[in-house]
Amino acid sequence: MPDADWPAYWNPKHETLPREALGRLQARKLHRLVQGAYDRSPFHRRRFDAAGLRPDDIRSLDDLRRIPLMTREEWMQNQAERPLFGDLVTRSRDDAIRYHLTSGTSGRQPLRVLDSRADWSWIGEMWCYGFWGFGVRPRDIVFFAFSYGSFIGFWGAHYASEKIGCLVLPSGNMTTDARVRQIVEMEATTVCATPTYALRMAQAAQALGIDLARDSKVDKLIVSGEPAGSIPATKRLIEEMWGAKCGDTAGMTEIGTIMIFECDHQPGGTHIIEDNFIEEVLDPETGEPVPYGKEGERVVTSFGRDFIPLIRYRTRDLVKKVPHDTCSCGRTGDIYAGGILGRVDDMKCIRGTNVYPRAVESIVREHPEIEEFQIVLTREDGVRDEISVHVELAADRQDAWQGMAKHLGRALADAHEGLRFNLELAPPGSLPRFELKAKRLQDRRAEGAR
Amino acid sequence: MTIHDQQSRPPEHDLHGVEMTPDERELLDLFRRLRRLAERRDLAPCVSANVKQAMVMVWNACNDLALVDAPPGHD
């Protein structure tokens, strides 16, 4: 079927639903979610009981605010107390078909997630909203610059592309040069990558004498994993280097999929998939809702993941919600202007991997010979983020460096989905010392981007 | 009443309270039939596994159209 004959929306019934009806649908799904979580998740039952709430108390969207906010720290503590998966999950491990993890907020412990067959079907479905919305159709040839590992990343997007009927090119552990060549040779029309890696591939292509804008068939880049996909300057650079339009998406391991996507009208933001999520924007200090146009913290309630009911989960993402009619596409899902704007906490995103400075510190501190350290973030070649740990050893333990560096590098990578940490030995006494609040992280990426 | 009890009633309306179209009724009926097969434990592995795959895919269509309001179970 010619592309023009397909409907513009993946789900015309809900993507154009009047907001009043959308609210009623969310309220109904919320009640069902809460009842199911109370019945099947001891974690949620305890939280509801502690708040003096029963599922029948939650009947409307106004009731949503009676439910206590849930944090990642609570979830991780629950998994630590009840290894491996805690009792937030509603089903036994026997019912799961997949295990993924993401780096933790502290120490080596990752956040572990399980999903069922239905969950994975739904995860792919959410990506279908986004892919279809950005113009992906069955004739497309979709290339995934993705490692297909324990990080959930583009797994769901891969399944979405297959579901839509695209030809999928999974590049796994190919080198960057090999990826560029395959994109050209196989006439890929759509490329999925982090924004940073999209630029990296474009640079590699230039070095190979390939002009992607001229030599490739790529007309769509769908990016995820970093806020840069909605930063106008970065997006413009990607679009120029590839000669293609670039669409942003954002998701998180905690919900398994994406909750926002940029449509092909490119309104400078991302639509919320509101028939499957309730997205609140709250003042991170007071917990009070903020109005349209004001920055606040994303708080998500997810309806589709059976194994892991998330209700009022604090994401620590900074967003600014604007009305749906800011975009001319006709979708009634509201928009996060500029996508994910940043973080409320100190988490850093390095090449798509979440890094919490306190998690790095707890691993570094396992080595008593380390006297002081600094985490330094840089941007190489204007696009590639690097994380380095500068380590200062005790004066009488300089001989420990060789063995320790290898072990420390591996431990840091293992705790961060294989992310490479560059380790540098600093001369004794060269790193700053702190008496009060320590500042052991230097983010120099803005300097490198200039 | 359990989630599945509610889903197994023959609704004439979707979750919006709108009467289902013939296509929607057929889709929901298909989902229920697949789910009944997915519950069975006496089927050959090749049948059981593929029925479950089909069931969760059809459930997605039902979920997208507000014909069901809960995960399917038996997957």
Side-chain angles (χ1 to χ4, degrees):
Chain A
M1 188 186 296
D3 285 358
D5 292 347
W6 288 105
Y9 312 108
W10 176 252
N11 181 357
K13 183 172 179 177
H14 279 177
E15 289 186 88
T16 57
L17 197 64
R19 291 204 57 84
E20 197 178 317
L22 190 56
R24 285 197 299 270
L25 178 68
Q26 288 177 322
R28 178 160 183 165
K29 287 190 172 186
L30 174 64
H31 176 66
R32 208 46 178 282
L33 173 71
V34 166
Q35 182 69 62
Y38 190 84
D39 292 342
R40 301 160 66 212
S41 164
F43 174 89
H44 279 299
R45 178 184 282 260
R46 284 193 301 274
R47 299 182 84 251
F48 270 75
D49 287 346
L53 283 174
R54 309 285 293 181
D56 278 345
D57 295 332
I58 309 302
R59 288 283 175 186
S60 72
L61 291 184
D62 290 337
D63 294 329
L64 179 64
R65 296 201 58 229
R66 301 172 64 184
I67 304 172
L69 295 167
M70 175 187 161
T71 66
R72 184 178 170 121
E73 286 74 17
E74 283 177 90
W75 189 356
M76 292 199 65
Q77 185 181 345
N78 179 251
Q79 291 196 343
E81 290 169 356
R82 296 170 174 80
L84 293 168
F85 302 101
D87 61 3
L88 166 64
V89 292
T90 58
R91 304 174 67 173
S92 82
R93 185 164 58 181
D94 292 347
D95 290 344
I97 62 163
R98 188 78 77 76
Y99 167 58
H100 281 280
L101 52 84
T102 185
S103 44
T105 49
S106 58
R108 293 167 183 268
Q109 184 199 339
L111 185 67
R112 302 180 169 95
V113 296
L114 293 174
D115 286 293
S116 70
R117 199 188 302 254
D119 291 336
W120 267 102
S121 173
W122 173 80
I123 287 167
E125 189 74 7
M126 295 304 96
W127 278 98
C128 284
Y129 277 69
F131 271 45
W132 194 271
F134 198 61
V136 174
R137 297 292 181 269
R139 68 161 181 84
D140 275 304
I141 299 172
V142 185
F143 183 92
F144 283 94
F146 172 56
S147 61
Y148 292 88
S150 60
F151 176 49
I152 208 161
F154 282 112
W155 277 105
H158 174 111
Y159 298 134
S161 301
E162 290 183 346
K163 191 186 286 197
I164 288 170
C166 305
L167 172 58
V168 173
L169 310 178
S171 70
N173 62 351
M174 289 168 73
T175 64
T176 301
D177 287 358
R179 283 173 166 158
V180 168
R181 289 195 183 95
Q182 188 175 90
I183 286 167
V184 174
E185 179 189 66
M186 286 298 295
E187 301 184 330
T189 59
T190 306
V191 169
C192 301
T194 62
T196 298
Y197 196 69
L199 289 170
R200 173 83 190 94
M201 284 192 287
Q203 289 179 333
Q206 286 176 342
L208 291 169
I210 295 171
D211 178 354
L212 287 169
R214 182 194 64 210
D215 302 331
S216 86
K217 295 279 174 64
V218 176
D219 59 8
K220 296 177 287 300
L221 285 122
I222 298 179
V223 297
S224 201
E226 298 167 341
S230 280
I231 296 173
T234 306
K235 186 174 184 142
R236 196 162 46 245
L237 184 60
I238 292 171
E239 293 189 330
E240 283 172 8
M241 294 183 87
W242 283 83
K245 62 181 182 177
C246 176
D248 192 19
T249 63
M252 54 200 304
T253 302
E254 292 97 314
I255 60 170
T257 186
I258 56 166
M259 63 283 157
I260 53 175
F261 67 90
E262 182 172 4
C263 70
D264 58 2
H265 286 230
Q266 295 187 287
T270 48
H271 287 279
I272 302 167
I273 307 174
E274 293 198 72
D275 57 337
N276 283 273
F277 302 97
I278 298 174
E279 288 271 335
E280 302 171 81
V281 184
L282 306 181
D283 181 314
E285 299 300 323
T286 67
E288 292 297 312
V290 303
Y292 278 139
K294 192 165 188 298
E295 288 185 11
E297 180 184 350
R298 268 187 66 227
V299 172
V300 63
T301 296
S302 163
F303 295 130
R305 203 180 198 181
D306 192 27
F307 245 95
I308 301 171
L310 278 198
I311 305 172
R312 301 202 84 205
Y313 179 71
R314 294 189 71 159
T315 66
R316 313 306 280 166
D317 285 336
L318 198 62
V319 291
K320 182 168 71 178
K321 192 187 279 188
V322 297
H324 65 92
D325 55 11
T326 310
C327 180
S328 58
C329 74
R331 286 179 179 80
T332 51
D334 277 343
I335 292 169
Y336 283 142
I340 305 295
L341 301 174
R343 294 287 297 177
V344 173
D345 63 6
D346 59 353
M347 190 195 86
K348 301 293 178 185
C349 186
I350 309 297
R351 301 198 296 273
T353 297
N354 298 341
V355 177
Y356 291 88
R358 58 192 181 277
V360 173
E361 174 160 5
S362 73
I363 293 171
V364 170
R365 292 299 188 199
E366 290 174 5
H367 297 270
E369 60 272 41
I370 295 177
E371 203 162 271
E372 191 51 83
F373 73 98
Q374 282 270 305
I375 304 166
V376 181
L377 309 181
T378 54
R379 181 155 294 155
E380 306 300 326
D381 305 324
V383 298
R384 193 182 71 251
D385 288 355
E386 291 287 343
I387 182 165
S388 302
V389 180
H390 297 192
V391 169
E392 192 182 307
L393 298 180
D396 60 347
R397 294 303 314 275
Q398 297 295 309
D399 59 323
W401 172 245
Q402 287 301 336
M404 193 212 67
K406 189 175 174 186
H407 181 260
L408 178 59
R410 189 182 305 128
L412 288 167
D414 286 348
H416 294 88
E417 298 142 28
L419 181 69
R420 181 185 67 250
F421 284 71
N422 307 302
L423 298 182
E424 293 183 23
L425 179 62
S430 64
L431 296 180
R433 264 56 172 180
F434 306 94
E435 291 182 6
L436 296 171
K437 190 173 173 60
K439 291 182 180 173
R440 293 197 173 86
L441 186 137
Q442 296 181 45
D443 193 342
R444 300 176 184 162
R445 289 179 291 182
E447 300 163 29
R450 278 198 287 268
Chain B
M1 184 182 291
T2 68
I3 289 170
H4 298 139
D5 288 334
Q6 282 200 10
Q7 281 185 346
S8 63
R9 289 188 306 177
E12 296 296 322
H13 299 83
D14 65 14
L15 300 181
H16 304 293
V18 177
E19 190 172 340
M20 289 186 196
T21 66
D23 286 346
E24 288 175 339
R25 278 199 293 272
E26 186 172 341
L27 189 66
L28 184 59
D29 179 58
L30 179 58
F31 165 61
R32 288 184 179 141
R33 288 161 59 196
L34 285 166
R35 199 180 60 204
R36 280 197 293 274
L37 281 172
E39 290 173 25
R40 287 177 51 180
R41 295 176 174 228
D42 59 329
L43 301 174
C46 64
V47 176
S48 177
N50 282 300
V51 161
K52 286 177 178 175
Q53 287 290 109
M55 188 264 290
V56 299
M57 291 298 182
V58 174
W59 168 78
N60 258 307
C62 293
N63 184 50
D64 284 350
L65 298 178
L67 310 182
V68 295
D69 66 355
H74 305 292
D75 57 325

